[in-house]
């Protein structure tokens, strides 16, 4: 066997040098704005899968990546070649047609018992026919998200790769598809990576797989790739934004932005680069601003030659004034709750509109008007639904705990993921805060890293607020404060605070005082305690509902005396899976800080928080 492989390997090494220069493998093509609403052919459904623990279809047996060798040297064992035996003598060490299936979208962990803890590569295969009726059209293969690294192969050839588990990516595949029976093979690898974003240590389940929708979108040769539509943060009586065309002949194109409900028709023409910007006075146009009580959305349509797209967009402003957060110029208190992208009832990643409705129904039952979507971008059903329901959102990227701060590639990955979520959600009125990190160490290189991210975010989107969940610290006079130097670069001082759980018991909260030396809104981005639903004890018995409830009582009193407070988001809406949580009686692989259990039971603390928010809400409406 070895002698046969030697020329192949020499060839591969040579090929590596050549192919790296001549034919760099494409990463995601420019993302498509509003892919969510574009007419599409869904590729969701049952895909065959093969578990590749030894990455047999990624590297050959001398660990030379297949990506770096010439097609004639692939051998036949790579499963993405999607072959079938030619006759009974033919040796193939895989078989797609008899392989079991996984449902897409969906993490693999919750679908197959043996995969609950699996971290590694799984290959997926589906088949599809070309949905285009016009051969001139482009065909875009769109993945709403897959965790963590994805490699995509079409008809036995690599299309591209993407790294990052929580943001969309897409590839133009029109040139490579056949009319019928295309083979689409995708590897998803969820191995943790110490220089990745996140790194290898997280307090959440490392769900792997094609966790979000997959679809094919047909587009004309010249198409609307991107747009932004919003109120000008400086002059809110103006609508501002742009439309970006891509494809052939994008310069000097006439296009139209319209909103029939507002009787608005804005003719536009593109510049050399295919971009058309606008600033449209809204004098005389009567607009209902989007807010939490009246989440009014307007349908905007963009028409550019044969292409047209529509989007329901809320118009609002968000800013800070001293220690207040102003929504449409009026102070708002953020009655919040944190959430993971997980449906605890299924013990799986949330991946559908129904899941989003479940999480948001719970948040609304609590009387929350704000959710912190921790600790990574959640699927797009969340911001879309939040837009409809009037729930404000904090969105975050997984710069979590430790990151390889000095590694330029790690920074690039963080910025890429930030860029992808900024791109995806820039037209969502519900999203008011971009959070750049959670509980990061006190290091100069971290401040440098986060400042770069903050500059990037502000440069891209100056209409929202920037924050990060920092740590609290002790101030000189014995009070508590936030001294992380990065707080100088955020619009909101946000911090996690686990007094009464990781530090002492709830009584220690009595008499705790905070002081801040910057006039900014303060948001307490986490506090909480673990409780097993149905487990009872006195208020100092760990893991009991009573303990958690007592902690909520003390924390809510602290919130009442917290200076500059603009809102808070207790940790967390529901129990969630975490491999770090090993207590055999109380945890069993679940972080129990939810106010709702794995079975959907409301714990005592749920009702305490609900009563608090209810009162707060009533007091505000009476104002
Ligand atoms: C934190 C983290 C969060 C954890 C939580 C906990 O500070 O931000 O990801 O899950 O504490 O339960 O310890």
């Amino acid at each position: 066997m070895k002698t046969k492989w030697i020329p192949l390997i020499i060839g591969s090494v040579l090929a590596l040098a050549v192919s790296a220069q001549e034919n760099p493998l494409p990463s995601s093509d420019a993302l498509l704005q509003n892919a969510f609403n574009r007419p599409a052919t869904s590729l969701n459904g049952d895909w065959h899968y093969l578990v590749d623990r030894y990455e047999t279809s990624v590297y050959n047996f001398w660990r030379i990546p297949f990506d770096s060798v010439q097609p004639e040297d692939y051998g036949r064992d790579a499963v993405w070649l999607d072959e079938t035996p030619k006759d009974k003598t033919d040796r193939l060490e895989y078989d797609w047609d008899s392989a079991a299936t996984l449902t897409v979208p969906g993490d693999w962990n919750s679908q197959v018992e043996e995969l609950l803890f699996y971290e590694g590569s799984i290959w997926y295969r589906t088949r599809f026919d070309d949905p285009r009726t016009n051969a001139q059209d482009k065909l875009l293969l769109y993945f709403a998200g897959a965790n963590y690294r994805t490699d995509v192969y079409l008809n036995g050839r690599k299309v591209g790769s993407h790294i990052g588990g929580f943001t969309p990516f897409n590839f133009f595949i029109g040139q490579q598809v056949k009319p019928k029976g295309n083979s689409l093979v995708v590897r998803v690898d969820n191995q943790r990576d110490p220089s990745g974003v996140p790194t290898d240590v997280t307090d959440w389940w490392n769900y792997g797989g094609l966790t979000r929708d997959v679809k094919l979108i047909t587009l004309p040769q010249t198409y609307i790739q991107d747009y932004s539509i919003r109120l000008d943060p400086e002059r809110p009586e103006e609508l501002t934004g742009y439309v970006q065309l891509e494809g052939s002949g994008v310069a000097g194109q006439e296009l139209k932005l319209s909103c029939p409900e507002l009787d608005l028709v804005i003719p536009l023409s593109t510049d050399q680069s295919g971009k058309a910007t606008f600033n449209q006075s809204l004098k005389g146009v009567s607009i209902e601003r989007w807010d939490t009580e009246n989440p009014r959305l307007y349908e905007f349509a963009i028409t550019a030659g044969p292409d047209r797209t529509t989007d329901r967009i809320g118009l609002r402003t968000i800013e800070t004034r001293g220690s207040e957060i102003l929504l449409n110029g009026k102070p708002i208190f953020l009655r919040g709750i944190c959430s993971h992208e997980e449906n605890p009832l299924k013990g799986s990643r949330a991946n559908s509109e129904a899941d989003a409705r479940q999480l948001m129904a719970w948040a609304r039952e609590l009387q929350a008007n704000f959710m912190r979507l921790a600790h990574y971008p959640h699927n797009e059903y969340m911001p879309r639904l939040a837009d409809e329901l009037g729930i404000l959102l904090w969105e975050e990227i997984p710069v979590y705990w430790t990151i390889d701060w000095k590694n330029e590639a790690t920074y690039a990955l963080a910025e890429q993921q930030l860029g992808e979520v900024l791109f995806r959600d820039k037209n969502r009125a519900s999203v008011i805060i971009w959070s750049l990190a959670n509980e990061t160490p006190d290091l100069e290189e971290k401040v440098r890293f986060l400042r770069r991210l903050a500059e990037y975010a502000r440069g891209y989107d100056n209409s929202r607020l920037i924050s990060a969940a920092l740590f609290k610290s002790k101030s000189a006079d014995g009070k508590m404060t936030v001294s992380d130097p990065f707080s100088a670069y955020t619009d909101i001082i946000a911090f996690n605070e686990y007094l009464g759980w990781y530090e002492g018991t709830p009584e220690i909260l009595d008499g705790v005082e905070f002081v801040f030396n910057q006039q900014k809104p303060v948001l307490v981005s986490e506090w909480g305690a673990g409780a097993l639903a149905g487990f009872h004890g006195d208020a100092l018995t760990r893991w009991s509902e009573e303990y958690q409830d007592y902690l909520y009582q003390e924390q809510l009193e602290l919130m009442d005396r917290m200076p500059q407070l603009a809102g808070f988001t207790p940790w967390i809406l529901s129990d969630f899976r975490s491999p770090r949580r090993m207590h055999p009686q109380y945890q069993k692989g679940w972080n129990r800080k939810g106010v709702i259990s794995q079975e959907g039971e409301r714990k005592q603390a749920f009702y305490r928080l609900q009563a608090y928010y209810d009162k707060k809400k009533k007091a505000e409406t009476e104002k």
Side-chain angles (χ1 to χ4, degrees):
M1 172 158 163
K2 287 214 172 106
T3 36
K4 179 173 165 262
W5 277 83
I6 285 169
L8 196 158
I9 287 158
I10 297 171
S12 324
V13 173
L14 289 175
L16 176 62
V18 179
S19 68
Q21 266 185 346
E22 281 181 1
N23 187 20
L25 287 167
S27 53
S28 175
D29 287 319
L31 276 171
L32 179 68
Q33 185 55 242
N34 198 27
F36 191 86
N37 277 333
R38 289 271 188 170
T41 304
S42 173
L43 295 183
N44 290 349
D46 289 343
W47 294 41
H48 292 286
Y49 76 96
L50 294 165
V51 180
D52 190 3
R53 295 202 53 194
Y54 274 34
E55 299 179 316
T56 304
S57 290
V58 184
Y59 304 95
N60 70 19
F61 77 106
W62 280 0
R63 204 145 172 101
I64 297 180
F66 283 120
D67 275 357
S68 66
V69 307
Q70 295 299 318
E72 57 274 22
D73 294 336
Y74 289 157
R76 292 184 63 212
D77 287 332
V79 301
W80 40 266
L81 290 167
D82 190 3
E83 290 196 38
T84 43
K86 293 185 182 45
D87 56 41
K88 70 177 185 190
T89 68
D90 199 15
R91 181 191 61 85
L92 261 194
E93 307 218 9
Y94 64 89
D95 178 46
W96 273 117
D97 293 336
S98 61
T101 57
L102 282 168
T103 301
V104 174
D107 59 83
W108 61 58
N109 316 70
S110 63
Q111 296 190 51
V112 179
E113 218 178 317
E114 307 90 85
L115 298 178
L116 179 62
F117 291 97
Y118 184 67
E119 296 187 301
S121 286
I122 286 191
W123 293 89
Y124 289 75
R125 191 207 68 186
T126 192
R127 292 259 165 85
F128 69 87
D129 296 339
D130 187 347
R132 290 175 298 178
T133 44
N134 176 357
Q136 301 308 308
D137 283 346
K138 290 172 174 285
L139 189 62
L140 189 70
L141 171 60
Y142 184 87
F143 294 85
N147 188 40
Y148 168 76
R149 179 194 160 104
T150 311
D151 295 290
V152 180
Y153 295 80
L154 180 66
N155 297 328
R157 289 294 172 97
K158 181 112 180 212
V159 171
S161 308
H162 178 262
I163 300 182
F166 305 99
T167 44
F169 50 99
N170 54 210
F171 306 100
F172 281 105
I173 56 166
Q175 310 265 332
Q176 296 104 289
V177 292
K178 307 180 290 191
K180 295 258 174 244
N182 291 281
S183 154
L184 178 61
V185 178
V186 179
R187 172 176 78 124
V188 187
D189 174 9
N190 73 334
Q191 276 177 90
R192 285 169 289 140
D193 175 2
S195 53
V197 180
T199 56
D200 44 5
V201 187
T202 62
D203 188 24
W204 68 79
W205 207 261
N206 182 22
Y207 289 110
L210 291 171
T211 47
R212 298 185 187 167
D213 296 331
V214 184
K215 54 189 168 184
L216 293 167
I217 300 172
T218 299
L219 295 166
Q221 277 300 324
T222 305
Y223 68 97
I224 301 155
Q225 181 254 329
D226 187 20
Y227 56 85
S228 158
I229 300 168
R230 64 182 190 218
L231 294 181
D232 189 325
E234 309 291 320
R235 291 174 299 276
E237 64 293 344
E238 283 179 21
L239 193 69
T240 187
Y242 63 84
V243 178
Q244 176 73 56
L245 298 187
E246 275 302 332
S248 46
V250 294
Q253 295 287 330
E254 303 295 313
L255 47 98
K256 197 175 75 184
L257 169 67
S258 59
C259 178
E261 290 159 285
L262 290 173
D263 218 6
L264 267 184
V265 179
I266 309 173
L268 299 170
S269 54
T270 58
D271 64 12
Q272 279 306 308
S273 70
K275 190 171 190 175
T277 51
F278 60 90
N279 257 81
Q280 169 78 26
S281 164
L282 293 172
K283 288 223 172 73
V285 185
S286 116
I287 281 192
E288 281 173 61
R289 295 276 190 102
W290 183 97
D291 70 24
T292 53
E293 295 308 306
N294 177 28
R296 179 69 160 97
L297 299 174
Y298 290 101
E299 179 154 303
F300 283 86
I302 304 170
T303 316
D307 200 18
R308 177 185 152 88
T309 191
T310 62
D311 202 353
R312 279 152 51 76
I313 292 178
L315 302 172
R316 56 106 186 95
T317 59
I318 191 82
E319 66 201 303
T320 65
R321 182 181 62 200
S323 60
E324 292 174 316
I325 294 176
L326 308 181
L327 176 64
N328 296 319
K330 284 184 280 186
I332 179 152
F333 188 84
L334 302 176
R335 305 187 306 270
I337 189 76
C338 291
S339 181
H340 266 293
E341 187 199 39
E342 187 170 299
N343 182 339
L345 305 178
K346 301 188 206 156
S348 73
R349 274 254 171 274
N351 58 32
S352 62
E353 189 186 330
D355 288 342
R357 285 198 184 274
Q358 171 72 81
L359 296 171
M360 290 199 176
W362 282 337
R364 272 156 61 111
E365 190 184 329
L366 271 176
Q367 301 291 353
N369 62 6
F370 177 57
M371 290 178 84
R372 174 179 176 215
L373 304 186
H375 284 297
Y376 40 77
H378 291 203
N379 66 68
E380 197 172 344
Y381 293 107
M382 292 295 280
R384 292 280 177 174
L385 189 60
D387 263 16
E388 272 179 40
L389 300 178
I391 295 181
L392 297 161
L393 295 181
W394 154 308
E395 293 203 318
E396 189 160 304
I397 54 167
V399 174
Y400 181 84
W401 288 350
T402 60
I403 286 283
D404 195 354
W405 304 106
K406 289 183 172 164
N407 184 337
E408 196 50 37
T410 303
Y411 176 80
L413 215 52
E415 191 183 281
Q416 173 216 312
Q417 294 185 44
L418 177 61
E420 288 163 346
V421 67
L422 292 176
F423 179 93
R424 192 193 72 180
D425 291 344
K426 66 180 154 224
N427 292 310
R428 302 283 70 81
S430 52
V431 180
I432 56 167
I433 297 170
W434 301 122
S435 165
L436 305 180
N438 179 74
E439 294 188 347
T440 52
D442 194 6
L443 297 170
E444 253 174 57
E445 52 265 34
K446 113 62 201 285
V447 178
R448 235 176 291 131
F449 189 107
L450 294 186
R451 279 184 65 182
R452 270 176 89 183
L453 283 181
E455 268 164 41
Y456 175 85
R458 285 211 171 86
Y460 191 87
D461 177 9
N462 65 352
S463 73
R464 292 183 175 80
L465 310 175
I466 302 288
S467 196
L470 305 176
F471 281 119
K472 64 170 175 30
S473 50
K474 270 243 158 71
S475 77
D477 55 7
K479 292 186 176 173
M480 302 275 178
T481 190
V482 171
S483 54
D484 187 320
F486 183 61
S487 66
Y489 303 96
T490 60
D491 297 308
I492 295 176
I493 302 174
F495 63 98
N496 297 349
E497 173 265 290
Y498 277 94
L499 293 167
W501 182 255
Y502 289 122
E503 283 174 73
T505 50
E507 307 111 281
I508 69 159
L509 276 147
D510 240 7
V512 166
E513 296 297 335
F514 275 78
V515 62
F516 302 99
N517 60 11
Q518 302 176 67
Q519 258 309 301
K520 290 182 185 178
V522 165
L523 199 155
V524 190
S525 37
E526 281 179 40
W527 48 256
L532 179 65
F535 175 64
H536 296 285
D538 65 20
L540 288 178
T541 302
R542 290 261 172 186
W543 309 110
S544 70
E545 286 197 36
E546 286 74 8
Y547 187 109
Q548 188 189 39
D549 185 42
Y550 178 32
L551 179 120
Y552 269 62
Q553 180 190 334
E554 294 296 312
Q555 285 286 359
L556 291 171
E557 280 173 19
L558 173 61
M559 294 303 107
D560 283 339
R561 51 181 199 274
M562 182 69 68
Q564 302 173 215
L565 190 71
F568 58 89
T569 50
W571 189 258
I572 184 171
L573 183 60
S574 65
D575 291 353
F576 60 98
R577 282 192 198 275
S578 167
R580 293 171 62 84
R581 307 299 172 169
M582 296 177 289
H583 195 293
Q585 265 168 288
Y586 303 119
Q587 294 178 311
K588 300 188 172 129
W590 289 74
N591 183 315
R592 297 289 182 199
K593 295 191 190 72
V595 289
I596 295 180
S597 79
Q598 182 185 346
E599 272 93 33
E601 301 133 291
R602 281 82 173 143
K603 303 180 194 172
Q604 290 179 14
F606 178 95
Y607 296 107
R608 187 174 294 277
L609 183 62
Q610 184 189 51
Y612 183 93
Y613 280 161
D614 206 30
K615 210 165 124 201
K616 194 101 192 151
K617 188 178 171 187
K618 288 202 179 110
E620 271 183 18
T621 39
E622 275 158 22
K623 254 190 218 164

